[in-house]
Amino acid sequence: MLLGLILLLLTLAGCLLFAVRPVWFPAAITAEALQYDHQFTWTLWIAGVIFVAAQFLLAWAIFRGSRRRSASFVTGNRRLELAWLGATAVLFISLSVVGSRGWAKVPAPAPGKEIIEVHAHQFAWSFRYPGPDGHFGRAAIEFISDAGGNPVGIDPKDPAGKDDIVTATLRIPAGRDVLLLLHSRDVIHDFFVPELRTKQDIVPGMEIPLEVHVDQPGSYEIACAELCGLGHSQMRSLLIVMPGAEYDQWKKRP
Ligand SMILES: [Cu+2]
């Protein structure tokens, strides 16, 4: 009896937390992020209704059982078990298929896209822009020098690299398609901006594309979301979304 009551109270308290939302996600800033939120809300509602119904059913079984004097032996019901197993499978597969429309896109370079390299290493971020010539200079691991101001490893002999811009914060223009090319020089890191609802692993030896399109200017925190060593918690930076004209101006004179 008491157990059933505790169960009901815990279920109601859980519902109240979701209704009041004392802690919730920061506002989404891209169309994809809004899509993920929409999918999340749907999943939460469906799973929430099933969860609450199951808890009430369990509490009812406890109340009913506590009134009985003697225990009774119950065998399973194969047909019922198969029915809810099938229903659960259909529900979750459908939710995954509907959700895949949001995340299964493969970004690719295209004319007019702003291409920026993101370089992660223990325990900092660097961002490289191709500069006025529009071409990234050659980069190689042997040229990397954090103390010498070359965290990306741009070949000093390559003329295309002379005008490359390397920064510690990521600036992007508002209202334009931006293609981020993610690199890591040591271990697996993860590019995470809560407002983008994106956590993208960065694997050494791979170039991983990530497309971003933000309409509203603002500043957002970038964090590493993959435990990458002792300084992991300090591996942060800033995503600054600038109005287009201001961004163009900045790129001329960073
Ligand atoms: Cu990291």
Side-chain angles (χ1 to χ4, degrees):
M1 188 78 170
L2 182 67
L3 191 65
L5 205 63
I6 291 172
L7 190 68
L8 279 182
L9 286 175
L10 280 175
T11 308
L12 290 174
C15 292
L16 200 69
L17 273 179
F18 277 104
V20 177
R21 295 182 179 182
V23 181
W24 202 249
F25 307 128
I29 55 169
T30 61
E32 287 78 18
L34 286 170
Q35 224 177 329
Y36 301 152
D37 281 7
H38 182 71
Q39 174 78 9
F40 177 84
T41 309
W42 258 103
T43 310
L44 189 66
W45 266 107
I46 294 171
V49 167
I50 295 170
F51 172 77
V52 171
Q55 300 315 301
F56 273 76
L57 206 65
L58 185 58
W60 171 76
I62 293 171
F63 286 135
R64 201 182 62 152
S66 63
R67 269 192 254 120
R68 286 203 185 141
R69 294 266 161 97
S70 59
S72 60
F73 183 74
V74 181
T75 53
N77 185 327
R78 168 88 38 111
R79 223 185 257 174
L80 210 57
E81 281 166 17
L82 279 176
W84 63 55
L85 191 70
T88 312
V90 168
L91 183 69
F92 279 92
I93 290 169
S94 318
L95 279 173
S96 308
V97 171
V98 172
S100 69
R101 273 191 246 142
W103 52 258
K105 279 185 279 176
V106 180
K113 265 187 203 172
E114 197 70 28
I115 300 176
I116 304 165
E117 284 183 359
V118 174
H119 291 264
H121 71 93
Q122 288 169 318
F123 300 96
W125 298 94
S126 302
F127 308 97
R128 175 156 81 132
Y129 300 77
D133 68 350
H135 293 285
F136 287 109
R138 194 178 91 85
I141 201 116
E142 62 264 30
F143 301 115
I144 289 177
S145 165
D146 291 318
N150 190 2
V152 172
I154 302 170
D155 181 349
K157 291 203 186 89
D158 184 4
K162 293 273 184 255
D163 63 347
D164 286 7
I165 303 162
V166 178
T167 60
T169 51
L170 173 58
R171 289 169 190 266
I172 64 166
R176 288 188 215 160
D177 288 338
V178 175
L179 183 67
L180 302 176
L181 301 173
L182 310 180
H183 296 256
S184 166
R185 77 158 94 134
D186 39 40
V187 297
I188 299 176
H189 298 278
D190 190 297
F191 181 84
F192 176 39
V193 178
E195 287 83 356
L196 297 178
R197 306 286 189 269
T198 299
K199 273 182 182 170
Q200 176 59 59
D201 268 2
I202 314 177
V203 183
M206 288 179 78
E207 182 175 77
I208 298 171
L210 176 68
E211 206 168 282
V212 178
H213 183 116
V214 186
D215 285 320
Q216 232 12 61
S219 288
Y220 312 96
E221 188 187 26
I222 299 170
C224 178
E226 182 68 55
L227 186 58
C228 57
L230 276 179
H232 166 67
S233 62
Q234 268 100 62
M235 194 169 159
R236 295 157 173 226
S237 182
L238 215 54
L239 164 67
I240 302 171
V241 184
M242 306 167 83
E246 212 176 289
Y247 172 80
D248 293 334
Q249 203 59 38
W250 169 81
K251 250 179 90 174
K252 276 187 213 148
R253 244 172 291 135

